[in-house]
């Protein structure tokens, strides 16, 4: 993920600015004592108040966010700002409220949650869906959290709850350097600081989110008033002052590896300077993006399958104009698949026909030019590029540059079946930069034919979030799943980041989350679930086209409707929304 450009020298701020920031930190120091004095039951009450205030701002939040990205009230993709903004935060609050409510009454967050075993001695928590409404609205989707090898189910239960198991133990005051691309990220990161680590939070909003600050302050007023949160604006100078502030105990950043290195090692590292001793000694966690693969496993697909999955892939790249840390960037196809050319043609059509929208994130135009310079033969399809690597083409730029813009690449490896899957997994692990998220598309018949070898291949993927017949962006807004890089990164080689967020079950020793979705949507999924459609063995789902698809004709209406249902629980409103979904 990219963020505000990194300065190559440490900037200075004025005395008034320093005084303002110091006062905010002093308020948060007092807030830590208040937070530590609250019982878990009182924290549940507080979270319900936050939910009420977030719900009251939902419309302003979504419409303001859409406007900052150049999407007017008639734009077909404005629904993205409902789902990736207030919807995601409301879902997280509901999940945290449930977790803390269990702890408050002496229960375990994992009571009633299925826990079983994954390959390699791992414990697996069946973390989604956990509510009846999610089972209905998102039928066909499921999610698992895999814990690190050696973690037993007993240990998983004993550790669940993290900071809420020791509510009087303060984590101090943390700094959250907010993301600039998705409006729920800063809020979700603040909630995780508060609930997982008992840290009050100073949120520095990315300048791209400045128009949202008044809305954030209204939405999060129940956290601001008692001193649990302060929100400040500012550029690199403010960020530099805060990361070196002695009264801040921890830093969390959502941004780029270059920004991370400048914080930890000093600004000169942004220009390739030699690393000696870290210039910041306080602990830091980070989510930093990467180059995400989309592995397309060859099978016998119908024309409808080809069209639907091509639209799926286009969505993975084009949602938010590609300004996502988790945007799919490299499609991995089999050069031996007899339908490869048909899929490539369907992908070109889907990628070219998605609605046009502004490429709005700072620096995106330069990165588009960078891609064009590296691949002068790339297809220019309106406001986006499609890079198809053939023959002796050099794929290195595509493999190592997170373009954070509408640039999609297609590469090929040999083989079919298990041979292809193993080769594609190796390509993703060894050739692509980062370990944040990977996507894999496979039809039910092919998955069945692979048997246990399929799960072994999933285990071999070194990514913190894996989506099978889904997009990892869906995992991002699923609060009981976890979000972060695959474990193992350090400040010396940070990759896609350190640590996790979201994680509303408050699980310890997380390795990855695995999302599963339906290969075929309704109504084709009905035949698939009965073994009647081509390939058979589908998963039932009520969504003909998910509302986050850039090709969904009613995506904006459905996304808004689902968020309003989160707000008020209106059944008539939900029925209207589902009718719109059927027209997608």
């Amino acid at each position: 993920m990219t963020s505000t450009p990194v300065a190559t020298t440490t900037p200075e701020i004025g005395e008034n600015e320093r005084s303002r920031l110091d006062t905010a930190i002093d308020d948060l120091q007092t807030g830590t004592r208040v937070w530590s004095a609250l019982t878990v039951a009182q924290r549940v009450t507080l979270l319900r108040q936050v939910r009420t205030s977030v719900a009251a701002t939902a419309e302003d939040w979504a419409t303001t966010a859409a406007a900052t990205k150049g999407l007017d009230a008639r734009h077909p993709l404005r629904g993205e700002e409902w789902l990736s903004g207030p919807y995601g935060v409301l879902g997280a609050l509901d999940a945290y409220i449930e977790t803390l409510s269990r702890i408050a009454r002496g229960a375990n967050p994992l009571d009633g949650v299925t826990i079983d075993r994954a390959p390699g001695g791992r414990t697996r928590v069946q973390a989604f869906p956990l509510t009846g409404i999610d089972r209905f609205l998102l039928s066909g989707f499921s999610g698992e959290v895999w814990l690190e090898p050696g973690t037993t189910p007993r240990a998983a239960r004993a550790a669940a709850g993290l900071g809420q198991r020791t509510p009087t133990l303060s984590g101090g005051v943390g700094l959250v350097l907010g993301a600039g691309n998705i409006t729920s990220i800063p809020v979700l990161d603040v909630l995780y600081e508060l609930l997982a680590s008992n840290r009050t939070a100073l949120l520095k909003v990315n300048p791209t989110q400045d128009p949202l600050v008044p809305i954030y302050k209204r939405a999060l007023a129940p956290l601001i008033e008692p001193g649990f949160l302060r929100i400040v604006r500012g550029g690199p100078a403010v960020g530099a002052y805060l990361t070196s502030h002695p009264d801040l105990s921890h830093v969390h950043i959502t941004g780029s590896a270059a920004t991370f290195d400048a914080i930890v090692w000093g600004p000169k590292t942004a220009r390739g300077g030699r690393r000696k001793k870290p210039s910041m000694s306080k602990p830091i966690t980070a989510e930093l993006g990467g180059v995400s693969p989309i592995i397309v496993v060859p099978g016998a697909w119908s024309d409808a399958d080809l069209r639907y999955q091509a639209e799926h892939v286009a969505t993975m790249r084009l949602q938010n104009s590609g300004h996502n840390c988790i945007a799919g960037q490299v499609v991995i196809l089999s050069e031996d698949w007899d339908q490869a050319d048909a899929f490539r043609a369907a992908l070109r059509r889907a990628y070219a026909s998605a609605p046009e929208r502004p490429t709005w994130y700072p620096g995106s135009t330069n990165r588009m030019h960078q891609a064009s310079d590296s691949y002068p033969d790339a297809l220019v399809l309106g406001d986006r590029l499609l890079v198809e690597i053939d023959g002796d083409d050099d794929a290195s730029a595509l493999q190592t540059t997170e373009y954070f813009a509408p640039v999609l690449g297609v590469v090929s490896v040999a083989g079919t079946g298990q041979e292809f899957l193993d080769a594609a997994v190796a390509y993703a692990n060894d050739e692509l930069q980062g370990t944040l998220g990977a996507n894999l598309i496979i039809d039910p018949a092919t998955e069945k034919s692979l048997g246990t070898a399929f799960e072994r291949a999933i285990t071999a993927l070194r990514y913190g979030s894996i989506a099978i017949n889904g997009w990892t962006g869906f995992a991002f807004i699923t609060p009981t799943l976890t979000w972060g890089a695959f474990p193992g990164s350090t400040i010396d080689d940070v990759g896609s980041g350190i640590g996790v967020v979201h994680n509303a079950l408050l699980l310890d020793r997380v390795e990855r989350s695995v999302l599963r979705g339906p290969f075929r949507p309704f109504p084709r999924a009905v035949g698939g679930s009965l073994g009647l459609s081509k390939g058979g063995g589908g998963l039932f789902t009520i969504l003909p086209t998910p509302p986050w698809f850039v090709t969904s004709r009613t995506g904006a209406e459905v996304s808004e409707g689902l968020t309003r249902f989160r707000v008020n629980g209106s059944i008539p409103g939900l029925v209207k929304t589902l009718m719109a979904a059927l027209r997608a």
Side-chain angles (χ1 to χ4, degrees), residues 189-207:
D189 290 350
V190 163
L191 290 173
Y192 197 66
E193 285 287 285
L194 196 60
L195 299 172
S197 301
N198 286 323
R199 273 194 289 267
T200 58
L202 179 64
L203 168 61
K204 191 194 85 65
V205 175
N206 187 291

Side-chain angles (χ1 to χ4, degrees), residues 18 38 42 51 113 123 138 203 260 264 281 337 339 356 384 397 400 415 440 476 496 517:
R18 284 199 298 271
L38 293 182
Q42 288 172 322
R51 192 195 193 285
V113 178
T123 289
L138 297 166
L203 168 61
F260 178 94
V264 173
S281 59
W337 186 23
Q339 292 182 288
E356 291 198 9
R384 57 210 66 157
T400 59
L440 190 146
F476 170 86
S496 287

Side-chain angles (χ1 to χ4, degrees), residues 34-71:
V34 178
W35 179 256
S36 296
L38 293 182
T39 66
V40 177
Q42 288 172 322
R43 295 174 184 188
V44 171
T45 300
L46 177 67
L47 290 178
R48 289 187 175 127
Q49 293 170 351
V50 176
R51 192 195 193 285
T52 298
S53 56
V54 168
T57 65
E59 183 168 359
D60 284 349
W61 183 331
T63 54
T64 300
T68 66
K69 300 178 181 183
L71 307 178

Side-chain angles (χ1 to χ4, degrees), residues 78 113 159 168 180 185 198 237 271-272 316 334 349 413 456 511 520 567:
R78 68 188 184 279
V113 178
T168 61
I185 292 177
N198 286 323
R271 298 181 297 176
M316 296 180 196
S334 166
R349 287 192 297 270
V413 299
R456 288 200 300 271
E511 183 186 63
R520 298 182 177 93
V567 168

Side-chain angles (χ1 to χ4, degrees), residues 301-311 337 339 342-343 346-347:
W301 292 11
S302 68
D303 289 343
D305 293 336
L306 292 166
R307 181 174 61 253
Y308 178 84
Q309 296 300 347
E311 293 175 3
W337 186 23
Q339 292 182 288
F343 182 78
L347 179 58

